[in-house]
């Protein structure tokens, strides 16, 4: 028996590093697939004669399904092997890509993105489980940090590759890129084992009700009509009844009785929506106001992604040394400065947009680290898995809501309201007002954070590094 356990552990050790290399490549493809369509939304809008709120469903539909799928695949790992789940996911991702390549109508594009989201949502579960299952505890942190390389590179490469591909060929060629993930499938099947977790039931009905609620309410926002709104409210009521009485609900309501967690989750949701709004709004700004092609738009957005990829990993170290509140207030200052500057330079040279976009994107990355750390520390040990799963799901739901809301605002086209006097034309004022409103919204969220966590957050986050060293000496 001991020999079998040792043999199994040895095999996992040997397979761990090859799996991490494959995983980094898969994460790059996955993140690119989620972000690169933002750059070509103006092109899609013109081709299909869509308003910004209508074309936003390329992003919104993907993120709704991705959010629900991430939680669902996380639970399915208790019932099925990673090898089989990944095979299912990558095949669905590829099927969606093929549908997108062949699509001739806008509804077919939405169907393709939904199919892609169903498959791609297996990857976050994979990224969390492989480091835990295939590496010793003392190496897991480093391996989880390795995942950042994949997500950062994907975020950096997505806009520029999307720009050049759509300019050199056609934006639909972007659907080819996720097909590259199929080359990893034989390697995953070689190195992944067949282990399953402890079998558990999965509340598919609750998941469908939640996805339906979000979709219906967002359709009511973007398309109008009482029917969507009524449908959304009815589905929300059914979802709340379902999670209250189901034996193993899709979302466990007990975690919401933790007031600091619920409050932190609400702040995180708003800040995540702001974070998703910037890459959605910026390509539209550069296309409508500066008349830039997708290729040039990708170049303008690239520096912010590269700087964030380089500096983002230092954010975790700063939180360890100075505490989460210090990182959060620093991030908020950078973020507000970036939004105020973007509001002022809209309509000017896109070089200014590129420079000040660095501050807003970096600030959002640091803010996410600080909020994630703070919210995680409001959870007792037995609720960490549930709470962090909710946090991940709410992150992507916030992205879906953000795309729908910003799309509806951009439908205005022009405005007579000039909150910031610097821009020079009526179209630019719409974007200027958006960035100024975001700066104010960040300030409000930081104030709410201070009122809830200001005095205790340092303790919850473990304080600074010197404080913790002193605590260890006293122990």
């Amino acid at each position: 028996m001991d020999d079998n356990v040792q043999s199994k552990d040895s095999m996992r050790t040997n397979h761990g590093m090859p799996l991490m290399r494959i995983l980094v490549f898969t994460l790059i493809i996955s993140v690119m697939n989620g972000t690169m369509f933002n750059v070509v939304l103006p092109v899609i809008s013109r081709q299909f004669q869509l308003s910004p709120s209508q074309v936003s469903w390329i992003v919104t539909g993907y993120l709704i399904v991705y959010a629900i799928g991430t939680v669902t695949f996380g639970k399915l790992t208790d019932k099925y092997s990673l090898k089989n789940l990944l095979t299912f996911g990558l095949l669905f991702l590829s099927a969606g890509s093929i549908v997108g390549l062949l699509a001739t109508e806008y509804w077919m594009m939405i169907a393709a993105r939904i199919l892609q989201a169903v498959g791609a949502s297996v990857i976050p579960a994979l990224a969390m489980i492989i480091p835990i299952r295939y590496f010793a505890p003392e190496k897991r942190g480093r391996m989880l940090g390795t995942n950042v390389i994949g997500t950062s590179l994907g975020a950096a490469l997505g806009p520029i590759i999307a720009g050049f591909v759509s300019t050199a060929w056609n934006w639909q060629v972007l659907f080819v890129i996720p097909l590259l993930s199929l080359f990893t499938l034989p390697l995953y099947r070689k190195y992944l084992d067949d282990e399953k977790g402890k079998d558990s039931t999965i509340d598919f009905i609750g998941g469908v009700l939640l996805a339906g609620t979000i979709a219906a309410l967002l359709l009511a926002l973007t398309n109008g009509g009482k029917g969507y709104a009524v449908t959304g409210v009815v589905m929300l009521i059914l979802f709340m009844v379902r999670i209250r009485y189901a034996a193993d609900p899709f979302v466990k309501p007990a975690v919401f009785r933790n007031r600091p967690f619920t409050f932190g989750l609400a702040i995180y949701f708003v800040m995540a929506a702001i974070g998703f709004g910037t890459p959605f709004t910026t390509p539209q700004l550069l296309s409508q106001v500066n008349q830039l092609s997708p290729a040039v738009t990708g170049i303008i957005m690239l520096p912010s992604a590269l700087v964030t990829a380089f500096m983002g990993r230092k954010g975790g170290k700063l939180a360890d040394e100075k505490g989460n509140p210090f990182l959060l207030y620093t991030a908020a200052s950078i973020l507000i400065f970036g939004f105020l500057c973007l509001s002022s330079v809209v309509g000017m040279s896109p070089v200014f947009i590129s420079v000040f976009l660095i501050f807003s994107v970096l600030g959002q990355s640091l803010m996410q680290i600080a909020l994630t750390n703070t919210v995680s520390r409001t959870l007792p040990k037995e609720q960490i898995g549930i709470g962090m799963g909710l946090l991940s799901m709410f992150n992507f739901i916030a992205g879906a809501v953000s795309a729908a809301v910003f799309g509806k605002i951009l439908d205005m086209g022009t405005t007579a309201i000039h909150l910031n006097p610097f821009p020079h034309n009526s179209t630019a004022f719409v974007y200027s007002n958006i960035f100024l409103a975001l700066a104010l919204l960040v300030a409000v969220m930081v104030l709410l954070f201070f009122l809830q966590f200001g005095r205790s957050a340092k303790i919850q986050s473990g304080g600074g590094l010197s404080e913790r060293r002193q605590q260890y000496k006293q122990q």
Side-chain angles (χ1 to χ4, degrees):
M1 184 73 172
D2 290 340
D3 289 341
N4 289 335
V5 172
Q6 289 178 359
S7 175
K8 189 174 184 180
D9 289 342
S10 176
M11 182 187 69
R12 284 186 171 177
T13 301
N14 293 334
H15 289 181
M17 286 311 299
L19 279 171
M20 288 305 300
R21 295 187 190 101
I22 305 165
L23 179 59
V24 167
F25 176 78
T26 312
L27 282 168
I28 292 172
I29 299 297
S30 173
V31 173
M32 284 176 58
N33 187 50
T35 61
M36 60 189 177
F37 281 89
N38 284 322
V39 177
V40 296
L41 286 180
V43 180
I44 300 173
S45 179
R46 288 192 294 270
Q47 179 174 329
F48 292 99
Q49 298 182 331
L50 302 168
S51 67
S53 62
Q54 291 172 322
V55 79
S56 71
W57 279 91
I58 288 280
V59 176
T60 299
Y62 183 91
L63 288 173
I64 290 174
V65 176
Y66 194 87
I68 304 301
T70 298
V71 177
T72 303
F73 272 114
K75 294 184 177 184
L76 285 172
T77 57
D78 288 336
K79 195 168 186 177
Y80 303 100
S81 69
L82 278 180
K83 181 185 295 186
N84 291 334
L85 287 176
L86 184 76
T87 301
F88 173 86
L90 292 185
L91 289 177
F92 249 79
L93 176 61
S94 301
S97 299
I98 293 170
V99 171
L101 271 173
L102 301 177
T104 56
E105 302 289 340
Y106 181 60
W107 69 265
M108 297 174 70
M109 297 295 173
I110 299 298
R113 291 292 282 165
I114 289 174
L115 284 173
Q116 282 189 322
V118 170
S121 57
V122 72
I123 296 171
L126 193 75
M128 291 300 296
I129 292 175
I130 285 179
I132 293 172
R133 187 176 291 182
Y134 286 83
F135 291 90
E138 63 271 15
K139 294 183 179 180
R140 288 173 188 167
R142 202 183 333 160
M143 293 303 110
L144 287 168
T146 303
N147 291 342
V148 176
I149 298 173
T151 55
S152 299
L153 285 175
L157 293 173
I160 194 164
I161 288 179
F164 279 111
V165 166
S166 60
T167 301
W169 295 289
N170 181 287
W171 64 268
Q172 277 185 262
V173 178
L174 294 176
F175 281 105
V176 172
I177 293 175
L179 291 172
L180 297 175
S181 62
L182 281 179
F183 291 104
T184 67
L185 187 54
L187 297 173
Y188 276 123
R189 293 198 64 84
K190 175 181 178 181
Y191 292 115
L192 285 172
D193 58 38
D194 295 308
E195 181 178 337
K196 305 174 186 177
K198 187 177 179 181
D199 195 2
S200 61
T201 58
I202 299 166
D203 183 20
F204 288 109
I205 295 175
V208 170
L209 286 173
L210 178 58
T213 297
I214 299 165
L217 292 177
L218 291 181
L219 281 168
L221 173 68
T222 56
N223 295 352
K226 294 180 180 179
Y228 288 125
V230 171
T231 302
V233 171
V234 170
M235 295 190 80
L236 177 60
I237 294 171
L238 292 174
F239 172 73
M240 294 173 68
V241 171
R242 177 69 185 180
I243 65 173
R244 185 178 178 86
Y245 295 105
D248 189 11
F250 190 80
V251 175
K252 288 182 168 55
V255 72
F256 293 110
R257 299 189 190 105
N258 181 340
R259 186 176 179 277
F261 170 76
T262 304
F263 198 91
L265 188 65
I267 294 175
Y268 181 93
F269 181 89
V270 174
M271 294 307 303
I274 292 173
F276 277 100
T278 304
F280 175 83
T281 305
T282 304
Q284 314 249 15
L285 158 65
L286 294 171
S287 174
Q288 291 185 13
V289 178
N290 298 96
Q291 285 79 48
L292 299 185
S293 68
V296 179
T297 295
I299 294 173
I300 294 298
M301 297 178 69
L302 180 62
S304 61
L306 291 176
V307 171
T308 301
F310 177 73
M311 295 294 295
R313 297 187 67 182
K314 298 182 182 296
K317 184 179 179 181
L318 192 62
D320 285 340
E321 294 177 348
K322 302 289 187 178
N324 289 326
F326 177 86
L327 179 61
L328 184 136
Y329 299 137
T330 301
S333 301
I334 296 171
L335 195 50
I336 291 171
F337 174 77
F339 282 142
L340 290 176
C341 291
L342 284 171
S343 176
S344 301
V345 302
V346 166
M348 299 182 188
S349 168
V351 174
F352 291 114
I353 301 292
S354 183
V355 171
F356 294 122
L357 196 61
I358 293 172
F359 291 93
S360 63
V361 175
L362 176 61
Q364 289 157 12
S365 176
L366 298 178
M367 179 70 74
Q368 186 176 38
I369 293 171
L371 283 175
T372 300
N373 284 342
T374 300
V375 172
S376 68
R377 282 162 175 77
T378 65
L379 294 163
K381 185 177 180 181
E382 64 274 11
Q383 290 185 347
I384 286 177
I386 299 169
M388 297 312 289
L390 272 174
L391 195 73
S392 176
M393 181 178 71
F394 268 60
N395 179 58
F396 297 114
I397 291 176
V401 172
S402 176
V405 171
F406 282 106
K408 193 64 178 178
I409 293 171
L410 293 179
D411 283 350
M412 296 166 56
T414 61
T415 179
I417 301 172
H418 301 167
L419 299 179
N420 190 328
F422 289 105
H424 303 296
N425 62 69
S426 55
T427 303
F429 272 117
V430 175
Y431 295 94
S432 176
N433 291 345
I434 288 174
F435 288 126
L436 187 58
L438 291 180
L440 294 173
L441 186 57
V442 171
V444 171
M445 290 299 106
V446 172
L447 177 60
L448 291 175
F449 175 90
F450 177 78
L451 293 175
Q452 174 66 40
F453 299 106
R455 294 180 180 178
S456 60
K458 192 170 184 180
I459 297 172
Q460 290 170 342
S461 66
L465 185 61
S466 60
E467 268 186 57
R468 293 202 303 274
R469 284 174 177 165
Q470 185 64 32
Q471 290 172 358
Y472 294 150
K473 288 179 181 179
Q474 291 174 356
Q475 292 173 354

